[in-house]
Amino acid sequence: MDLTGGFGARSGGVGGGPYREPIGLESLHLGDEFRQLATTTSLTPDNAGGSFTALLELPPTQAVELLHFTDSLSSSQAAAAATTGIGGGDIIIAPPPPPLHSFGGTTLTFPSNSALMERAARFSVIATEQQQNNGNYHNNETPTSSVPSNSSDRVKTEPPETDSAMENQSLCPNQTNRSGKRKDFDKKVKSSTKKNKSSEETEKLPYVHVRARRGQATDSHSLAERARREKINARMKLLQELVPGCDKIQGTALVLDEIINHVQSLQRQVEMLSMRLAAVNPRVDFNLDTILASENASLMDGSFSGTAMQLAWPHQALETEQSFHQRQLQPPPPPPQQWPFDGLNQPVWGREEDQAHGNDHSNLMAVSENVMVGSANLHPNQVKMEL
Amino acid sequence: MMSSYNMVKQEFIKKWITTLHILDCSVEHPLNVTERKNAIKLSSDIAMAAARSSSTVWSRALISRSGNKTANKPMARRVLKKARNRMKNRCLTLRRNGNFTAKSGVRRRTELLKRLVPGGELIENKDYLIRETLDYIVYLRAQVDVMRTVAAVDSVTGNLTNDNN
């Protein structure tokens, strides 16, 4: 194939090649920097009560109000949300991020992105933790619905350190001048929390006198509606932060536009990248070699290389599987360290061995079921995947 | 201590390696580029959804959608029965409300977003939709980051499957 020929030729220039590698893998180096970051800012599990405030990155009082606000609202809308467990009183999405006053202009682009991805990823992590029994995530930031302790001072130190520990995430092209916008957000948050207070009072107590603001009805329906709208707006603001270039836009419709564009562009990137990966490699399971070989070589990070080591074991096993696809077998050694994937791992390798000659194929959907439903027993089924 | 975003990426990597390998074992070679691309994308999507676990609508919808792509539908149906039951209830709610053509800008864009996010059509509550979108974006970005890194490594080192032994 022309493409593989072209890439093969490019690999000849390996002398200049390795310089590009660290850049690409630097993004995965994040573990090191963030680990240092975590230790210095003392956002440790024993500060778990404060971790929630850290998430919100607001002063504790505002955080509490928003906490109750989201709590009461989510309980009232339990129908759809409760089944998935996300809305069941869990505070997943925090309102807008803190004012990052200390940041300079241009350095904001990447630091804010990593801080954002951090924050946003923590939401999903915490959401996952609350529903999972098995701790797949070692990072035990226990989500608290109790009053968070005050760690706002420590929280403020986090963004500057994120700034210093910057990595090029190679995404998010349009993040500029966030500091100004963050200040606006701060004011908006304060004003919205005042509204939240009034609406939250009506929701918590059955019969309460609320002094209406000018031009707004005190009808319970409209209050609930207003509360709901505010909640949506708070989330939208967070989404605005997450999607690059959204800061300057006013109005829900345009923000939604940006979000839609972002999702579409990410999906298109996935398409392109998978095409690119498919073009380079003749086999589907290419990245076992590439990731693990390069990462084991270049990453000296403790925790990350620990994981890489764990991955390296299946890498060896898989490599033998690959090369033995037409030849004899080797039983893989037992995993040296405990891998959260263990329950899934063993049966898969075991069955792979028995069926190496391609008669029986493991089921990709069984993998998903196993992962999602959590059962450790894979039924060996013959499945031919047609693409 | 690992950052959460890094953990997301690592979860994704682990799942992806497995799904890629399984897919590779169960498909007959040789495949042309398009088939390989579809395989990679399919395994990547499943890995992303699996990394998220079943607590989000989008992850379940993505797996269910990917299940339709594999040939063995009864198998997929059996495997995903649990997830699909949950989604069926929401489907009913949606149908009851009927289809309106969205007139206002926000409404129209919400509909569009619902179509983009897997499982979005099943979500009635706009607030919930936004929550799901946020989660989905995080994982989507992790997917893109990892794939981009791997592609960068790939283009540098060329085809390693032959050289690495």
Side-chain angles (χ1 to χ4, degrees):
Chain A
M1 294 178 87
D2 295 339
L3 284 170
T4 50
F7 279 101
R10 206 186 303 176
S11 72
V14 168
Y19 289 126
R20 287 178 56 192
E21 258 188 54
I23 294 174
L25 291 170
E26 248 175 30
S27 61
L28 295 174
H29 248 300
L30 280 171
D32 198 10
E33 270 69 27
F34 277 98
R35 195 158 40 92
Q36 295 166 0
L37 190 153
T39 51
T40 49
T41 58
S42 70
L43 283 174
T44 51
D46 62 346
N47 198 15
S51 70
F52 178 63
T53 322
L55 280 182
L56 292 186
E57 296 179 348
L58 285 173
T61 52
Q62 291 180 2
V64 169
E65 285 161 14
L66 287 162
L67 189 84
H68 290 308
F69 176 58
T70 51
D71 252 342
S72 52
L73 258 180
S74 52
S75 59
S76 64
Q77 296 166 356
T83 53
T84 63
I86 290 184
D90 303 332
I91 290 80
I92 305 298
I93 298 205
L100 300 175
H101 300 290
S102 55
F103 280 16
T106 52
T107 53
L108 266 184
T109 60
F110 299 135
S112 53
N113 177 56
S114 65
L116 275 176
M117 292 312 296
E118 252 312 281
R119 214 175 303 121
R122 257 188 235 142
F123 306 149
S124 2
V125 167
I126 285 187
T128 319
E129 274 186 344
Q130 285 178 335
Q131 289 108 27
Q132 281 180 355
N133 299 332
N134 45 346
N136 272 350
Y137 293 101
H138 312 296
N139 178 16
N140 285 325
E141 295 180 345
T142 53
T144 63
S145 50
S146 58
V147 177
S149 62
N150 126 37
S151 61
S152 50
D153 330 321
R154 294 192 208 129
V155 165
K156 289 282 162 54
T157 64
E158 184 196 350
E161 311 226 3
T162 319
D163 187 12
S164 58
M166 220 21 266
E167 290 297 340
N168 183 351
Q169 288 216 2
S170 73
L171 208 58
C172 64
N174 310 322
Q175 296 181 9
T176 53
N177 295 331
R178 292 207 163 207
S179 58
K181 197 61 185 182
R182 297 272 165 82
K183 289 174 189 164
D184 297 339
F185 272 157
D186 196 28
K187 292 176 198 150
K188 282 183 199 162
V189 162
K190 290 201 172 100
S191 59
S192 69
T193 49
K194 280 187 199 132
K195 281 196 220 163
N196 291 349
K197 245 193 220 166
S198 58
S199 53
E200 142 209 356
E201 282 168 9
T202 44
E203 290 181 38
K204 281 157 94 172
L205 307 171
Y207 188 66
V208 87
H209 294 288
V210 174
R211 187 172 54 198
R213 300 169 159 269
R214 277 188 77 137
Q216 291 186 349
T218 48
D219 186 23
S220 65
H221 285 299
S222 61
L223 277 169
E225 187 55 40
R226 205 188 319 149
R228 182 173 163 271
R229 251 181 283 131
E230 277 147 22
K231 189 179 175 200
I232 292 178
N233 284 339
R235 300 257 166 86
M236 293 280 291
K237 288 196 179 85
L238 185 64
L239 261 177
Q240 252 180 324
E241 281 295 299
L242 194 62
V243 174
C246 248
D247 306 8
K248 306 188 173 63
I249 300 177
Q250 292 295 330
T252 310
L254 297 174
V255 170
L256 277 177
D257 251 354
E258 281 298 314
I259 291 166
I260 285 169
N261 286 340
H262 192 52
V263 171
Q264 274 174 339
S265 80
L266 284 174
Q267 286 174 342
R268 258 182 269 129
Q269 279 180 37
V270 170
E271 282 277 338
M272 271 177 6
L273 284 169
S274 58
M275 188 56 168
R276 193 167 146 199
L277 290 169
V280 172
N281 302 276
R283 296 179 64 88
V284 173
D285 53 351
F286 58 92
N287 69 340
L288 309 164
D289 307 339
T290 56
I291 283 188
L292 300 171
S294 358
E295 286 181 0
N296 282 339
S298 57
L299 294 180
M300 291 308 138
D301 178 273
S303 44
F304 195 70
S305 66
T307 312
M309 280 309 146
Q310 293 164 356
L311 294 174
W313 166 74
H315 157 63
Q316 291 154 17
L318 289 172
E319 243 206 294
T320 58
E321 308 269 356
Q322 282 179 31
S323 42
F324 291 168
H325 201 71
Q326 310 88 17
R327 296 188 285 270
Q328 78 276 15
L329 297 170
Q330 268 184 12
Q337 304 173 25
Q338 198 240 337
W339 199 25
F341 216 28
D342 232 351
L344 174 60
N345 207 16
Q346 298 289 358
V348 170
W349 304 151
R351 283 192 294 108
E352 230 79 70
E353 289 173 24
D354 300 335
Q355 305 147 6
H357 292 285
N359 290 333
D360 297 342
H361 300 292
S362 52
N363 182 11
L364 184 61
M365 301 319 297
V367 172
S368 316
E369 174 215 45
N370 197 22
V371 166
M372 286 177 55
V373 172
S375 67
N377 303 323
L378 288 174
H379 29 278
N381 290 296
Q382 306 189 15
V383 169
K384 286 234 157 53
M385 312 277 262
E386 290 171 13
L387 301 167
Chain B
M1 185 175 103
M2 199 61 74
S3 75
S4 340
Y5 185 52
N6 262 12
M7 269 169 20
V8 164
K9 286 204 274 193
Q10 287 196 21
E11 273 299 310
F12 172 68
I13 290 176
K14 287 180 199 165
K15 304 286 200 288
W16 195 25
I17 288 175
T18 308
T19 53
L20 271 176
H21 181 67
I22 290 178
L23 205 51
D24 188 52
C25 286
S26 53
V27 175
E28 293 127 22
H29 294 276
L31 302 168
N32 66 15
V33 177
T34 311
E35 287 169 350
R36 283 208 305 270
K37 179 206 90 163
N38 291 338
I40 289 175
K41 183 158 185 295
L42 177 68
S43 67
S44 168
D45 284 344
I46 290 182
M48 175 172 76
R52 182 57 184 91
S53 89
S54 53
S55 50
T56 54
V57 173
W58 69 261
S59 60
R60 292 200 298 270
L62 196 54
I63 290 210
S64 138
R65 187 196 288 180
S66 309
N68 285 334
K69 290 192 188 139
T70 69
N72 203 341
K73 292 211 178 143
M75 159 61 56
R77 225 182 288 138
R78 217 183 315 144
V79 160
L80 296 166
K81 201 166 103 173
K82 211 195 243 189
R84 284 192 187 185
N85 279 339
R86 276 184 231 168
M87 301 217 291
K88 244 184 243 175
N89 298 333
R90 300 199 192 161
C91 259
L92 291 176
T93 328
L94 193 68
R95 279 192 215 116
R96 233 184 288 134
N97 289 338
N99 306 322
F100 354 9
T101 55
K103 296 220 176 109
S104 80
V106 173
R107 180 76 196 200
R108 191 173 4 113
R109 287 169 175 90
T110 314
E111 300 287 315
L112 188 52
L113 187 61
K114 280 186 185 180
R115 262 178 256 137
L116 277 182
V117 174
E121 300 95 0
L122 308 166
I123 300 175
E124 282 279 329
N125 185 3
K126 187 171 131 188
D127 162 57
Y128 200 67
L129 174 69
I130 292 177
R131 203 189 304 203
E132 286 279 319
T133 308
L134 181 61
D135 204 85
Y136 180 56
I137 286 179
V138 173
Y139 276 78
L140 203 53
R141 193 179 278 194
Q143 182 185 27
V144 166
D145 278 347
V146 169
M147 287 179 87
R148 183 173 295 197
T149 305
V150 170
V153 171
D154 253 354
S155 62
V156 166
T157 54
N159 187 354
L160 278 196
T161 51
N162 297 327
D163 307 341
N164 205 23
N165 286 331

